[in-house]
Amino acid sequence: RASWVAAAPRSGRGACRAAAAGPAPARTRFDVPRNVVGRSRRNVDFRRSRGERRRTERVSRFRPAVVLLVARALERTDPGEPVPAKQCLLAEIVEMMSTAQVVHDSVLEDDESGSAGNVAHRTYNQNAGNKVSVLAGDFLLARCSVALSQLGDLTVVELMATALEAMVQGGVLQAQANKGFLDFADYERCASLKTSLIADACRSAAILAGEDGRGAVAGAVDAYARALGLSYQINYDTIKYVSAMEGGGDDADHEPSAAEYARTPPVILAAAASETCREAIDAALAARAPLSDVTRAVEAAGGLAAAADLSKHYADVAKEALAVLPHSTEREALFTMADYVSQEDQLGLQREKYIQARQKAH
């Protein structure tokens, strides 16, 4: 396998471009047989909307990329040399687990239309859509189980199983939280659980590279990834809030409600900083008011600025954690990744926009 990119399965537009470019590559062990996904010609994407697909693409590209950068930094591979096959397989597992989480999250949506609806619900109906989402997510997790067994390291298997458990716990906490919880400690705990996959995967990459699982290096990449995940999630949720506030949310025909965004960092931090803002948010939630009724109060309390600063803070914490790693191109790339996840609109994680920005700069 020349590289992880060449080996990873493709889907959606990427598959269309690959088909147009030439003959299809040889089947990998992760290709999904056609009879598994059904005979329908419809290419169903279970992510909820175009906006959700764009944001989800950042996740699917971001997590495996970090794992591979950590692997290259610790394996000390020469420039141009491929990453060891087991590290590539670990990155594939991370992407599949991340995608399964997104698919399973759609089951929590209880609306067949509007910004809360999802494609599986609209394609089949809410009941059948949930069943399809559960089966699709379970299929991906089953493939992960097979792939984990091929890594041949029980410690790594245990770590990744723990990551899956944490992801589920985070999803349960998110589902159980009522629409108006405004405690940042709760938000941070939920976000930490849901983003623990990348931390456990980076520690696993260190173990596969021959490092002690409880040693300083493994602890450093774990700490880096945990802070990076929090920085990413805070900024990601802030971007969703800003998009809805500016009228460019997932569904242009749907006016977002205050309840839908009561658990985003700008709202939570603004409510914690100002009693007046908290009262305005509580009143909007009680009246089932639109988001526009609280945006001024959030802005006046500095919620957006506080969320941006907090994301950058965790990005700096992530960089500091890598101090024990020797200088390398890969370590510098990990520093850059921390900048990307905390920058405005996470431009560096959006390949097309990033290329356009680079072209304009030159």
Side-chain angles (χ1 to χ4, degrees):
R1 194 180 312 167
S3 69
W4 169 78
V5 175
R10 294 185 177 185
S11 60
R13 294 181 181 177
C16 295
R17 288 195 294 268
R27 277 178 59 89
T28 72
R29 60 181 173 279
F30 296 111
D31 289 340
V32 181
R34 296 191 179 191
N35 61 346
V36 171
V37 295
R39 298 180 179 180
S40 172
R41 292 181 178 272
R42 292 175 295 182
N43 184 16
V44 180
D45 190 332
F46 298 106
R47 293 168 293 189
R48 287 172 287 182
S49 65
R50 185 179 301 173
E52 184 70 15
R53 286 195 297 272
R54 285 196 300 268
R55 288 192 295 270
T56 304
E57 285 170 358
R58 303 180 195 178
V59 180
S60 62
R61 295 168 182 172
F62 152 67
R63 288 173 175 168
V66 171
V67 173
L68 288 174
L69 284 173
V70 168
R72 291 192 69 90
L74 301 183
E75 294 279 1
R76 297 177 177 83
T77 52
D78 295 329
E81 289 295 317
V83 180
K86 286 188 177 182
Q87 299 284 13
C88 294
L89 182 55
L90 177 63
E92 293 172 7
I93 292 168
V94 169
E95 183 167 13
M96 286 192 291
M97 289 179 70
S98 176
T99 304
Q101 181 184 29
V102 173
V103 173
H104 277 160
D105 278 351
S106 69
V107 178
L108 302 178
E109 307 297 340
D110 55 7
D111 190 359
E112 296 184 26
S113 61
S115 65
N118 65 78
V119 177
H121 288 177
R122 294 199 298 270
T123 304
Y124 302 97
N125 61 52
Q126 183 170 329
N127 185 41
N130 281 343
K131 294 176 181 178
V132 171
S133 296
V134 170
L135 289 172
D138 287 352
F139 175 82
L140 286 170
L141 293 178
R143 302 298 296 186
C144 289
S145 299
V146 174
L148 279 171
S149 69
Q150 295 170 349
L151 291 176
D153 191 301
L154 291 178
T155 303
V156 170
V157 172
E158 183 179 358
L159 267 174
M160 297 304 291
T162 301
L164 177 58
E165 180 185 20
M167 288 165 57
V168 174
Q169 288 178 345
V172 171
L173 282 178
Q174 183 178 354
Q176 289 178 340
N178 58 54
K179 291 283 186 179
F181 91 91
L182 300 172
D183 189 330
F184 187 76
D186 290 339
Y187 170 86
E188 194 172 45
R189 183 180 175 221
C190 181
S192 297
L193 286 168
K194 294 196 72 175
T195 60
S196 63
L197 170 62
I198 188 172
D200 288 328
C202 285
R203 187 181 288 271
S204 297
I207 293 171
L208 292 177
E211 298 289 343
D212 181 359
R214 298 182 180 274
V217 172
V221 295
D222 182 288
Y224 165 83
R226 291 189 189 280
L228 188 76
L230 273 174
S231 175
Y232 173 89
Q233 194 65 45
I234 291 169
N235 201 19
Y236 175 91
D237 290 339
T238 300
I239 291 169
K240 288 176 66 176
Y241 170 85
V242 172
S243 179
M245 182 181 68
E246 295 177 348
D250 292 343
D251 190 341
D253 298 327
H254 170 79
E255 184 176 11
S257 68
E260 291 178 68
Y261 295 89
R263 292 172 289 176
T264 55
V267 177
I268 297 172
L269 293 171
S274 168
E275 187 63 31
T276 301
C277 181
R278 177 180 285 273
E279 291 173 357
I281 294 170
D282 287 339
L285 293 175
R288 297 184 178 180
L291 178 63
S292 56
D293 283 13
V294 302
T295 52
R296 285 188 179 181
V298 170
E299 187 173 358
L304 280 171
D309 289 344
L310 191 60
S311 177
K312 290 178 181 177
H313 164 73
Y314 278 115
D316 290 338
V317 171
K319 293 179 184 179
E320 292 171 2
L322 294 180
V324 302
L325 267 64
H327 177 78
S328 66
T329 303
E330 289 76 18
R331 192 184 76 158
E332 294 302 315
L334 289 169
F335 287 163
T336 302
M337 190 67 76
D339 292 330
Y340 284 168
V341 301
S342 59
Q343 72 182 161
E344 184 178 355
D345 200 33
Q346 295 179 331
L347 180 63
L349 300 184
Q350 302 179 68
R351 182 171 176 79
E352 292 181 2
K353 287 187 177 181
Y354 173 78
I355 292 174
Q356 291 172 4
R358 294 277 291 182
Q359 290 174 343
K360 290 180 180 179
H362 294 290

